[in-house]
Amino acid sequence: MTMNHRSLCGFNRILRLFRDDLSRPEYLAKSAVLQALVDRVIQLGLPVRLDFAREWENAHVLLELDRLRTSMPVRTILDFGGGNSPICYYLAGEGHSVSILDIDQRMIELINSNSRVLGWDSRLRGVHYSGKEWPFGDARFDCVISISVFEGILRKHRPLFWSEMRRVMRPGASLLMTFDYGEGGRMVGDPPISIEEIDEQIIRPSGMELVGEGFSEPVFDSDNGPPVKAIVKTVDGFDYRIAAYSFAAIHLRKPTR
């Protein structure tokens, strides 16, 4: 299948070229807002992470969240694996109640320290993830976001990931998730490498409904291939290889019954 214009503009898709989106005004605006927020936090002497490799994913998720908020109230948001990224500060600054669940205890300490300095204790908090059940009540969140985390979850742990995800989402809540995609990504994680695997590993196990159009296989640039390039060590540790892969995004919704 080839990409058509309609699927290119939708949220559920596999990135073909960064410039497909990052040259568009709405993406540039979101990236500028996040950069301004990072500058402000740094000027206050607070640590924050802005990963330019995530620029497309950050903007893509925030634009979908804007669209989502026009059709339903979004008050409580969970960022699964977000670390100390600017998205949580942006969302808290807009008045949302934001929780960040992350396995890195140091990141959680930084988030909570920053939150106190910014005066956001009541609406921005980091929670340490033990790798087991999530420390939240049932039906707690209106929306969950997760940016490039899924491919790092071992397959044996994914059933718990999906069951806990469904448990903490209220009926009708949305999951906005990005993930690595493509065979080259298997050198740095365990992502889906085909449209069929997106269905097998994400859509069906999630127990949720796909919101919007399905996926089309992208046609990558003939000279450069997939847009993401990572330098990784070979298995023997004596050399390096280029892992070429892409990013994908998916919007899932928990059924109301």
Side-chain angles (χ1 to χ4, degrees):
M1 291 182 288
T2 58
M3 295 285 283
N4 56 44
H5 176 72
R6 191 176 177 192
S7 62
L8 177 64
C9 296
F11 183 76
N12 301 326
R13 61 190 173 88
I14 301 157
L15 182 66
R16 187 182 70 91
L17 288 171
F18 282 106
R19 67 171 178 264
D20 284 342
D21 286 328
L22 293 181
S23 61
R24 294 165 60 182
E26 62 270 34
Y27 286 81
L28 291 172
K30 285 298 184 190
S31 295
V33 166
L34 288 178
Q35 183 61 63
L37 185 150
V38 168
D39 293 342
R40 175 193 166 203
V41 173
I42 290 175
Q43 286 171 3
L44 293 172
L46 305 177
V48 64
R49 186 193 86 219
L50 181 60
D51 188 346
F52 288 103
R54 304 291 174 223
E55 185 176 6
W56 174 79
E57 293 169 284
N58 290 343
H60 197 59
V61 166
L62 289 179
L63 288 167
E64 183 74 355
L65 183 57
D66 284 349
R67 291 187 284 269
L68 180 63
R69 291 185 296 186
T70 65
S71 61
M72 60 174 283
V74 179
R75 301 182 182 90
T76 54
I77 298 175
L78 172 63
D79 185 345
F80 181 85
N84 194 31
S85 77
I87 282 189
C88 60
Y89 298 99
Y90 170 82
L91 295 173
E94 292 219 320
H96 298 286
S97 175
V98 183
S99 298
I100 303 95
L101 186 62
D102 199 281
I103 202 165
D104 189 332
Q105 181 65 49
R106 177 57 180 158
M107 289 298 103
I108 295 304
E109 293 170 359
L110 289 176
I111 292 164
N112 289 331
S113 176
N114 288 356
S115 180
R116 287 190 294 271
V117 173
L118 293 165
W120 290 346
D121 305 59
S122 62
R123 64 176 187 267
L124 175 63
R125 71 182 186 117
V127 180
H128 184 245
Y129 177 44
S130 68
K132 299 179 181 179
E133 287 74 18
W134 299 4
F136 304 109
D138 296 352
R140 168 75 182 277
F141 297 101
D142 298 321
C143 182
V144 180
I145 63 174
S146 185
I147 296 177
S148 274
V149 176
F150 179 79
E151 62 273 8
I153 301 173
L154 296 177
R155 294 196 184 198
K156 65 181 181 180
H157 296 153
R158 290 179 183 177
L160 177 64
F161 169 80
W162 289 121
S163 64
E164 287 296 282
M165 180 74 73
R166 290 190 299 272
R167 182 182 65 79
V168 303
M169 293 171 66
R170 68 165 182 77
S174 284
L175 166 62
L176 308 180
M177 188 172 83
T178 71
F179 53 95
D180 293 352
Y181 175 85
E183 193 167 350
R186 291 273 169 91
M187 297 173 66
V188 294
D190 189 13
I193 64 172
S194 66
I195 301 297
E196 290 74 18
E197 286 198 357
I198 291 177
D199 183 57
E200 293 168 1
Q201 297 181 22
I202 296 177
I203 299 175
R204 281 190 279 167
S206 76
M208 291 186 268
E209 304 164 347
L210 183 68
V211 178
E213 293 187 358
F215 288 86
S216 295
E217 197 73 62
V219 178
F220 295 121
D221 182 88
S222 58
D223 294 326
N224 298 313
V228 183
K229 309 292 190 299
I231 301 174
V232 297
K233 280 187 176 182
T234 55
V235 175
D236 59 18
F238 293 112
D239 203 353
Y240 294 88
R241 292 181 61 189
I242 300 295
Y245 55 97
S246 188
F247 294 140
I250 191 167
H251 184 165
L252 297 169
R253 180 171 294 150
K254 181 178 176 179
T256 55
R257 59 180 181 177

